Amino acid sequence: MNGDVHALSGAYVLDALTDIERAAFKRHLASCATCSIEVAELQETAARLADGAWSVPPPALRDKVFAEVSRTRQDAPVPAKPVRPQRNRRLFTVAAAVVLAAVAATGTFAVQERRLDDQRTVAQAEAARVTEVLSAPDAALRSATSANGIRLTVVTSAARDEAVLTMAADRPAGADRTYQLWMLDGTTAINAGVLPVGTTSATRLVQGAAAADAFAVTVEPPSGSPTPTLPIVGQVAVA
């Protein structure tokens, strides 16, 4: 997580935190009045600017963003109504972030509505399972950062036989290479997900995790490998 937890308010409002970071920040909110006030203000602003923008953003959203920009003075303020530059900058930043988040969530404005609905259903189902693992009574969190700058964080639930694995790397794997996640059970390595080329962070729900000894990351070809290619560039033990 970011070393300054107070700086995560904006990312929290825009759902830009990992599941583990979001859970930790929610705990922080319970004891920090300053962050609670800031989150409330940002949520109010984001709600006004991004209502219904989760799926395909409507044309009106673009007009609303540019309308907000047009009201932001870049030189002298309007005498009849003093401009508050700091507030306007915040409005524009949140508005732009909402638009970018909507684009990232849908992938493209031109995706068919039915396909978006299907993707949202799948995403919501997996998000619910992730939440169940994170809130399980026996949930155990472990993390480790390798010399290669790869951080692995895993929350395991033996009762659910599942784990939530999060990876964050300082840089991409390299040209024509990508990261692949593994669950290690003794001498057996089980594929836990091949990341798209160029990706430096990911969160995966891993099933059958009760017997795992560790989770690891290797650098592989774009399509992944059936077994890990040594050396392992990141690893966190869970047993």
Side-chain angles (χ1 to χ4, degrees):
M1 177 181 291
N2 190 317
D4 183 7
V5 68
H6 301 281
L8 297 179
S9 298
Y12 174 79
V13 171
L14 296 174
D15 273 333
L17 299 177
T18 66
D19 296 298
I20 294 173
E21 287 173 335
R22 169 168 284 273
F25 186 75
K26 288 179 70 174
R27 289 195 297 270
H28 167 73
L29 276 180
S31 60
C32 181
T34 300
C35 285
S36 296
I37 293 172
E38 184 173 9
V39 164
E41 291 178 346
L42 290 174
Q43 285 176 331
E44 180 183 356
T45 302
R48 289 199 306 269
L49 296 173
D51 184 26
W54 189 95
S55 59
V56 178
L61 180 58
R62 180 177 181 276
D63 296 336
K64 189 177 293 185
V65 173
F66 281 100
E68 199 64 52
V69 175
S70 69
R71 289 194 292 270
T72 303
R73 297 282 299 185
Q74 298 301 319
D75 34 293
V78 177
K81 186 178 182 180
V83 177
R84 299 171 61 189
Q86 183 176 0
R87 182 62 171 173
N88 284 337
R89 284 197 297 272
R90 172 180 285 183
L91 286 172
F92 178 70
T93 299
V94 173
V98 169
V99 174
L100 291 176
V103 173
T106 60
T108 175
F109 284 96
V111 177
Q112 295 181 353
E113 189 67 34
R114 178 176 296 178
R115 182 178 178 185
L116 281 177
D117 288 342
D118 292 343
Q119 291 175 343
R120 181 164 54 184
T121 299
V122 172
Q124 288 175 337
E126 181 150 331
R129 292 175 61 191
V130 166
T131 300
E132 289 171 356
V133 173
L134 298 179
S135 59
D138 66 334
L141 183 149
R142 300 174 179 84
S143 64
T145 302
S146 71
N148 298 300
I150 296 177
R151 182 180 66 182
L152 286 178
T153 303
V154 60
V155 176
T156 58
S157 170
R160 294 185 58 83
D161 196 19
E162 292 179 322
V164 176
L165 176 63
T166 298
M167 186 212 81
D170 288 343
R171 54 187 178 275
D176 286 331
R177 287 290 181 271
T178 192
Y179 293 113
Q180 185 167 353
L181 306 175
W182 303 92
M183 181 175 68
L184 306 181
D185 179 5
T187 59
T188 302
I190 301 169
N191 176 28
V194 180
L195 277 59
V197 173
T199 302
T200 57
S201 64
T203 297
R204 292 290 185 271
L205 177 68
V206 183
Q207 301 181 51
D213 298 319
F215 291 86
V217 183
T218 57
V219 175
E220 306 291 348
S223 60
S225 299
T227 58
T229 300
L230 298 179
I232 289 175
V233 295
Q235 183 169 325
V236 58
V238 295

